[in-house]
Amino acid sequence: MIDQARRILKETFGYEDFRLQQEQAITQVLNRKDALVIMPTGGGKSLCYQIPALIFDGLTIVISPLISLMKDQVEQLREYGIDAVYLNSSLRPEVYNFNVRKVQSGKVKMLYVAPETLMMEKTREMLKALNVECFTIDEAHCISEWGHDFRPEYRQIARLRNDFPNAVCLALTATATPRVQDDIKTMLKFDDSEEFISSFDRENLFLKVVDKKDPLNQLLDFLFTRKKQSGIIYCFSRRQVDELAEALEDEGYSVKPYHAGLSDGMRAGNQRAFIKDDVSIVVATIAFGMGINKPNVRFVVHYDMPQNIESYYQQIGRAGRDGLRSDCLLLYGSSDTQKIQYFINKKKDQEKTVAENHLKQLIKYLESLECRRKPLMNYFGETYPKEECGMCDNCLSVDDDVEDLTIQSQQFLSTIVKSGQKFGATHLADVLRGSKAKKVLENEHEKLSTYGIGLEFSKDQWMQISKMLLRQGYISKGEYGELKIENSAKAVLDGSENVFGIMDRSKTSLEGEAVVRTSSEIENEYDEALFDLLRLKRKELADEQDIPPYTIFPDTTLVEMAYFFPQSKENLELLYGVGSVKKEKYGDTFIGVIKNYAAEHGKEEKKKSIAVQARKKTGGEKFEIVGEAFNNGQSIALLAEEHGVKDMTILKHLKDFLDAGNDLRLDGLLEASNLSLRQRDQVMKSFKKKSPLMLRPVYDDLNKTIGYDELRVMQLYYMTQDR
Ligand code: ADP
Ligand code: ZN
């Protein structure tokens, strides 16, 4: 039967493979054994009941507390060509009755229902006459008083199970505390049941915490490079929400507020506008988010501190459900801590102790200097298996993009000096790149000795250098944006100090800091202009039908289209999220857009090969390919050449390879090191003294005299030898 499930996964939903716990949970349900599924938001809980529902002959009832979500889920299913209906108090009587008749006719496989509707006598009478095969309880933590969202109606669901002794029961939640889990199982009388718990790590979320200094400007910097993206900004108070929403609107952002002080109509309208991509940003209190399963939320910002780790994790969990890289930024200010403390002080006894403990844990997370995933996963009772995730600010600060930028910094600084400290970064970049812009010639800057010496860098890259020097305090900005030299810059100019920094070659994130690219080639290299066109087309189709754009295709699918340029339905179907129904319904339209674009820009279709798919799934990951080639005798330099990447990237792959339990060829590592024997010895001692796991402490320990590339090589050497 699992084969049939797999076929449906591919045929209907367009996905290549099950996620780990999905397959097990589905097997369990198909064997008619109860199951408790615990996965983080975006983990893929829905398929755990949707696929069995399609296989069972009879009806699957899905109990869900969120009315808005029901509509959304049913709309999504219809796009896959699956007929499902819902019953709740928001429906007009004639629609309600129509839906009831549809269920009675046996034509629908899934019925979504609100708990209070389910408790109604007439609903139960109706259901008794039907063949109910599966009872799914979504947001099952609502059953537990220990959950953060207890609902008394949920308690009665347990009783209802008796009416359908033959139906298998599936409970789903994203709440992981053992107490809640136990409660769910007891209440639902699960005995022959099993639990399926997947890791709470959400790999695609980039986690970042910064000191809150000038919040509005920090936020504007962050948003600047995210102009078209969807995101949520959480604030502490309603007033703050209103003010911030207004400020962002003044800056030209498409934004709406959301909090409990707004009328119901206004809230619903703003939420709908967000879901339909009519507005990009929602500024909200914690009231916002339940019932949003928009998959392409690209960022979540905490403008104020969240209350505790659990709510923080739930809130950032709303980002990146589609699996694409998404950013989570938290502005951390000490006055926020005091605010939370103030509310805690009003509490008493046990409640106060619990809240204080929560705050402590949160602060521990915020101030952590190690990989942020460690304290976070720890909180959920998991041990994070890696030393570095490469997707948080702490990992990034010792990450592979740190380079020696001394020469470029000297060139930039000396251009500032030679032009009299009167010009901004754009002009300086023009000079360095030998531009013939009017302003350059007017000031006779083509006569400067640094004129045209910086052609190897793009204008954008020079802007990055400028930002980096600002950040590191070597220069400052005057009233009109003119750049001035600070005292510390002298040491750089006379060559006594080196500058290390992170350079990004395209996108900036907060304060212009580099954005780590994901490991996915597709995500890094897709055609953004085509992606935008596809998005427009999707929006147009969605508006025609009054459905959210993501129900047509998620962003992930559009990204793949903009990478592979498929020009036949056959090739389109190979892409993520394209099942047979959507292929027929939308295939021609999207292929039309792609064909036009490809013709106009001379782009070739790339066939998504089975190899690419296989690599995406599991084994054959880049680091394995690189690691094995290295151990077979290839040098790091050659591998870098072959893969078209920097040495550091290869070293990073080797580190992953090592972390995965493999050994590395020691002579190959030494070959890659340019250090003297004495330096090697110093580095090894320092690794021993500090820790071999992190580069930063060793870098500091050696007074920043040895660059990260070299340290990484020695780290690999140390770790391999140490086994
Ligand atoms: P949850 O209910 O756990 O928050 P969803 O069921 O909404 O998560 O799934 C999150 C996203 O992941 C959806 O866009 C879904 O289509 C996608 N997804 C689920 N399972 C898979 C899979 N096996 N392969 C690829 N994408 C999947
Ligand atoms: Zn990390």
Side-chain angles (χ1 to χ4, degrees):
M1 254 192 309
I2 193 68
D3 287 341
Q4 195 182 349
R6 202 180 290 285
R7 254 198 321 278
I8 294 176
L9 181 75
K10 176 68 200 146
E11 267 281 312
T12 305
F13 295 95
Y15 300 141
E16 235 18 79
D17 217 335
F18 282 117
R19 293 178 181 158
L20 191 64
Q21 309 292 336
Q22 278 177 335
E23 175 161 358
Q24 295 169 358
I26 290 172
T27 308
Q28 173 91 349
V29 173
L30 290 175
N31 289 332
R32 294 178 192 272
K33 291 196 180 125
D34 297 339
L36 171 58
V37 172
I38 299 171
M39 285 181 188
T41 318
K45 289 186 282 296
S46 318
L47 288 187
C48 296
Y49 62 83
Q50 287 168 347
I51 290 185
L54 295 178
I55 295 177
F56 288 142
D57 288 331
L59 182 69
T60 291
I61 298 176
V62 185
I63 302 159
S64 161
L66 301 162
I67 292 183
S68 61
L69 211 63
M70 271 182 218
K71 178 161 184 276
D72 198 81
Q73 295 246 358
V74 167
E75 275 171 355
Q76 286 200 40
L77 287 170
R78 292 207 177 128
E79 284 302 303
Y80 289 115
I82 300 167
D83 210 356
V85 299
Y86 65 98
L87 293 177
N88 63 37
S89 54
S90 76
L91 291 174
R92 287 196 315 263
E94 61 274 25
V95 181
Y96 192 101
N97 291 331
F98 177 79
N99 284 353
V100 167
R101 279 197 302 277
K102 237 170 140 179
V103 174
Q104 283 168 333
S105 74
K107 281 209 201 86
V108 295
K109 293 278 193 173
M110 265 172 272
L111 166 66
Y112 286 80
V113 57
E116 54 281 359
T117 311
L118 188 63
M119 292 337 281
M120 283 161 36
E121 198 52 44
K122 66 172 184 189
T123 317
R124 289 166 55 190
E125 282 308 312
M126 168 190 87
L127 292 174
K128 268 189 190 151
L130 298 171
N131 174 19
V132 177
E133 295 208 58
C134 177
F135 225 74
T136 296
I137 303 173
D138 205 1
E139 313 286 348
H141 56 273
C142 296
I143 224 168
S144 167
E145 277 173 313
W146 296 103
H148 50 80
D149 196 19
F150 172 58
R151 306 202 178 209
E153 320 86 82
Y154 258 67
R155 283 272 147 128
Q156 300 167 22
I157 295 174
R159 279 206 336 253
L160 208 84
R161 274 205 75 189
N162 301 334
D163 295 355
F164 308 97
N166 296 324
V168 55
C169 185
L170 171 65
L172 310 154
T173 177
T175 306
T177 64
R179 190 154 210 173
V180 173
Q181 292 169 25
D182 284 345
D183 242 13
I184 296 174
K185 284 189 291 183
T186 318
M187 296 305 294
L188 293 174
K189 301 206 178 64
F190 275 9
D191 30 62
D192 196 15
S193 73
E194 250 187 82
E195 278 172 67
F196 301 90
I197 305 178
S198 58
S199 164
F200 267 62
D201 184 23
R202 297 275 314 279
E203 289 175 1
N204 61 321
L205 300 186
F206 187 86
L207 307 174
K208 186 172 177 90
V209 178
V210 296
D211 286 336
K212 189 169 177 176
K213 287 189 188 129
D214 177 6
L216 181 58
N217 277 317
Q218 286 175 299
L219 178 65
L220 289 174
D221 279 349
F222 176 83
L223 295 178
F224 187 73
T225 51
R226 296 177 169 75
K227 286 253 157 74
K228 289 181 218 145
Q229 299 183 353
S230 276
I232 307 172
I233 301 168
Y234 283 106
C235 298
F236 203 67
S237 68
R238 296 177 190 179
R239 206 192 58 191
Q240 177 74 69
V241 167
D242 290 333
E243 283 175 12
L244 186 59
E246 211 169 295
L248 293 179
E249 191 152 30
D250 288 345
E251 291 286 334
Y253 285 95
S254 142
V255 54
K256 291 274 184 242
Y258 189 104
H259 57 68
L262 301 173
S263 71
D264 287 355
M266 185 100 143
R267 280 205 311 260
N270 291 355
Q271 171 164 334
R272 186 89 183 144
F274 181 64
I275 284 174
K276 292 184 69 180
D277 287 345
D278 287 328
V279 308
S280 312
I281 301 172
V282 170
V283 182
T285 59
I286 52 168
F288 183 74
M290 274 292 253
I292 299 277
N293 66 355
K294 182 177 163 68
N296 60 338
V297 175
R298 284 278 76 82
F299 61 85
V300 169
V301 175
H302 282 88
Y303 198 72
D304 297 311
M305 210 160 107
Q307 273 152 323
N308 51 51
I309 292 197
E310 189 134 354
S311 41
Y312 167 71
Y313 204 64
Q314 198 181 32
Q315 285 151 7
I316 62 172
R318 292 175 184 135
R321 276 171 180 252
D322 53 13
L324 297 177
R325 184 208 147 101
S326 308
D327 293 290
C328 308
L329 171 71
L330 189 153
L331 302 179
Y332 172 35
S334 54
S335 64
D336 290 352
T337 322
Q338 287 156 17
K339 239 184 265 174
I340 294 183
Q341 189 64 53
Y342 171 82
F343 285 105
I344 290 178
N345 289 343
K346 285 187 175 171
K347 299 186 181 203
K348 281 202 197 69
D349 312 327
Q350 168 85 3
E351 215 188 336
K352 186 171 172 186
T353 324
V354 170
E356 254 164 0
N357 190 27
H358 278 161
L359 180 61
K360 235 185 253 158
Q361 300 252 25
L362 177 64
I363 291 178
K364 200 167 125 197
Y365 166 76
L366 297 174
E367 300 199 336
S368 165
L369 293 175
E370 55 179 0
C371 172
R372 295 210 183 268
R373 283 183 158 72
K374 287 194 198 170
L376 208 53
M377 293 304 106
N378 236 316
Y379 183 85
F380 292 105
E382 269 180 57
T383 315
Y384 188 63
K386 292 192 227 163
E387 257 324 299
E388 296 171 7
C389 71
M391 279 291 279
C392 77
D393 47 0
N394 288 341
C395 286
L396 185 71
S397 61
V398 294
D399 220 301
D400 52 355
D401 286 336
V402 177
E403 319 171 45
D404 186 341
L405 296 166
T406 312
I407 294 178
Q408 291 82 356
S409 301
Q410 286 169 337
Q411 293 174 340
F412 195 83
L413 293 169
S414 92
T415 311
I416 297 182
V417 176
K418 292 191 167 129
S419 57
Q421 313 201 38
K422 282 187 298 217
F423 297 90
T426 325
H427 179 74
L428 296 165
D430 277 347
V431 174
L432 281 157
R433 291 191 32 81
S435 150
K436 298 209 164 59
K438 215 166 114 208
K439 197 168 167 188
V440 174
L441 302 179
E442 270 172 16
N443 288 290
E444 302 197 340
H445 283 167
E446 76 280 10
K447 294 187 180 148
L448 297 181
S449 60
T450 53
Y451 181 77
I453 60 170
L455 273 171
E456 70 192 294
F457 267 23
S458 70
K459 189 156 173 175
D460 189 47
Q461 286 173 310
W462 282 113
M463 304 301 282
Q464 297 287 340
I465 292 275
S466 162
K467 284 188 187 156
M468 181 201 74
L469 292 170
L470 272 168
R471 256 198 332 269
Q472 300 195 8
Y474 292 117
I475 56 176
S476 60
K477 215 183 236 179
E479 201 177 339
Y480 305 104
E482 75 278 16
L483 298 176
K484 294 185 188 305
I485 300 287
E486 291 291 313
N487 272 337
S488 56
K490 296 207 176 86
V492 177
L493 280 166
D494 69 20
S496 57
E497 186 170 314
N498 286 0
V499 181
F500 291 96
I502 299 165
M503 273 283 286
D504 174 41
R505 289 171 209 293
S506 61
K507 302 169 193 158
T508 53
S509 103
L510 193 76
E511 298 159 1
E513 194 179 88
V515 166
V516 213
R517 293 167 162 241
T518 65
S519 55
S520 147
E521 145 103 9
I522 297 171
E523 225 180 307
N524 291 334
E525 302 294 335
Y526 70 91
D527 189 312
E528 289 180 34
L530 175 57
F531 177 74
D532 285 343
L533 290 177
L534 294 167
R535 256 170 63 130
L536 280 178
K537 179 52 78 183
R538 177 178 69 175
K539 176 72 178 139
E540 187 185 313
L541 293 169
D543 284 348
E544 277 166 17
Q545 306 171 73
D546 193 26
I547 53 176
Y550 60 77
T551 52
I552 295 182
F553 283 126
D555 283 11
T556 324
T557 309
L558 303 192
V559 164
E560 291 208 347
M561 287 182 190
Y563 179 84
F564 291 107
F565 304 98
Q567 298 183 23
S568 66
K569 282 194 193 167
E570 188 192 358
N571 286 347
L572 187 72
E573 201 174 10
L574 296 173
L575 304 191
Y576 176 96
V578 186
S580 52
V581 172
K582 290 189 182 181
K583 177 187 74 176
E584 290 309 327
K585 190 164 172 194
Y586 299 116
D588 288 333
T589 312
F590 283 93
I591 288 172
V593 175
I594 296 168
K595 272 192 174 155
N596 278 339
Y597 184 87
E600 210 172 298
H601 295 85
K603 298 282 182 187
E604 297 273 324
E605 174 167 11
K606 287 180 241 176
K607 187 157 180 187
K608 185 173 179 181
S609 68
I610 304 304
V612 171
Q613 291 173 24
R615 197 153 73 216
K616 246 177 59 179
K617 274 188 292 188
T618 48
E621 299 235 24
K622 193 81 170 229
F623 73 83
E624 290 175 355
I625 298 169
V626 169
E628 272 154 28
F630 175 77
N631 279 348
N632 284 333
Q634 285 216 42
S635 72
I636 290 170
L638 188 66
L639 282 164
E641 191 67 36
E642 213 174 80
H643 290 264
V645 296
K646 288 185 293 185
D647 287 5
M648 194 46 143
T649 309
I650 297 296
L651 291 172
K652 188 87 206 291
H653 287 315
L654 293 182
K655 173 83 171 21
D656 289 342
F657 188 66
L658 190 75
D659 288 342
N662 305 293
D663 279 338
L664 291 172
R665 188 165 58 90
L666 286 172
D667 56 336
L669 289 172
L670 287 185
E671 200 181 277
S673 170
N674 297 308
L675 300 179
S676 68
L677 280 177
R678 193 178 61 87
Q679 282 174 316
R680 274 187 211 162
D681 187 54
Q682 281 175 338
V683 176
M684 295 296 267
K685 284 201 180 112
S686 181
F687 272 127
K688 192 161 191 174
K689 184 166 73 172
K690 299 289 170 184
S691 145
L693 302 176
M694 306 266 283
L695 298 184
R696 175 72 157 272
V698 173
Y699 178 66
D700 289 339
D701 186 44
L702 299 170
N703 295 323
K704 311 186 179 176
T705 50
I706 295 177
Y708 280 106
D709 277 86
E710 293 293 347
L711 289 183
R712 179 70 91 187
V713 172
M714 293 318 291
Q715 178 193 35
L716 296 176
Y717 187 81
Y718 186 98
M719 290 172 93
T720 309
Q721 224 188 21
D722 207 33
R723 287 250 165 107

